[in-house]
Amino acid sequence: MRVNVLYGLVAGVFLVAGILAQHWLMPSGPTPIPEANAPIPAPPLHDLDGKPHTLAEWQGRVVILNFWATWCPPCREEMPEFVRLQQQLSDKGEQFVGVAIDDPKDVAAFLKDNPVNYPIWMGDQQAATWADRLGNQIAALPFSVVFDRNGKPVHAHTVSFRPEQLLEALNPLLDTTSKP
């Protein structure tokens, strides 16, 4: 019994160390968008009530699609900034959409304690594969993709998006004649 507990603790320490090492050692920043002749089809996405959704709902807006999970510390750390920017930039045509690669019960509990002002949709392994096809070369979370007003992916970012990095990607795409 003691040996099993010890093995479990050692495995847990190595798992946490691996996750932290991946976070600190992997490159952070812009990721090339794969060049493709055809659009990259999105998998089925749905909200916590099970209602299906697509990015076409936001046609004409600049969409920041953020892949995240409740168990991902950098994901949770960037969400308050996304809430602030959603409030600040919505009038200029910006829209955040979160895609949780997680258990719906965990997401619902997290959002109850940490509400956001943008939609959260649920994704599964197909959504993670979609993120990879959109440029998530190292299959990391968080991963964000900026889509222009025509729904074309124009910027991908692996790991946390700092506000200045996000604004640098968004400013050329936003309607600067509207008031924030």
Side-chain angles (χ1 to χ4, degrees), residues 7-110:
Y7 284 138
L9 288 173
V10 169
V13 167
F14 279 110
L15 176 64
V16 169
I19 291 169
L20 292 175
Q22 181 183 19
H23 174 69
W24 285 312
L25 296 177
M26 73 174 108
S28 174
T31 304
I33 298 283
E35 294 298 323
N37 294 333
I40 300 168
L45 300 168
H46 56 277
D47 60 28
L48 286 168
D49 295 325
K51 181 181 176 188
H53 292 277
T54 68
L55 285 181
E57 294 173 31
W58 305 109
Q59 186 71 25
R61 296 185 67 82
V62 176
V63 174
I64 303 92
L65 189 67
N66 174 250
F67 294 86
W68 69 285
T70 61
W71 46 263
C72 168
C75 299
R76 295 188 313 259
E77 290 168 9
E78 70 183 356
M79 290 176 87
E81 189 63 31
F82 291 170
V83 167
R84 186 185 72 74
L85 289 172
Q86 176 64 39
Q87 183 177 10
Q88 178 184 348
L89 300 175
S90 179
D91 290 346
K92 291 184 176 185
E94 168 275 338
Q95 180 62 55
F96 277 93
V97 176
V99 176
I101 310 295
D102 210 328
D103 182 277
K105 291 177 187 174
D106 294 339
V107 172
F110 176 82

Side-chain angles (χ1 to χ4, degrees), residues 73-161:
C75 299
R76 295 188 313 259
E77 290 168 9
E78 70 183 356
M79 290 176 87
E81 189 63 31
F82 291 170
V83 167
R84 186 185 72 74
L85 289 172
Q86 176 64 39
Q87 183 177 10
Q88 178 184 348
L89 300 175
S90 179
D91 290 346
K92 291 184 176 185
E94 168 275 338
Q95 180 62 55
F96 277 93
V97 176
V99 176
I101 310 295
D102 210 328
D103 182 277
K105 291 177 187 174
D106 294 339
V107 172
F110 176 82
L111 293 174
K112 184 177 179 184
D113 294 334
N114 304 280
V116 297
N117 57 354
Y118 54 90
I120 298 292
W121 298 340
M122 297 305 304
D124 56 12
Q125 184 55 46
Q126 290 180 37
T129 300
W130 183 41
D132 295 347
R133 293 189 64 214
L134 287 168
N136 193 359
Q137 298 170 338
I138 57 176
L141 291 177
F143 174 71
S144 298
V145 181
V146 177
F147 292 83
D148 68 12
R149 293 177 186 275
N150 297 315
K152 178 184 174 194
V154 294
H155 184 88
H157 192 89
T158 305
V159 192
S160 298
F161 230 152

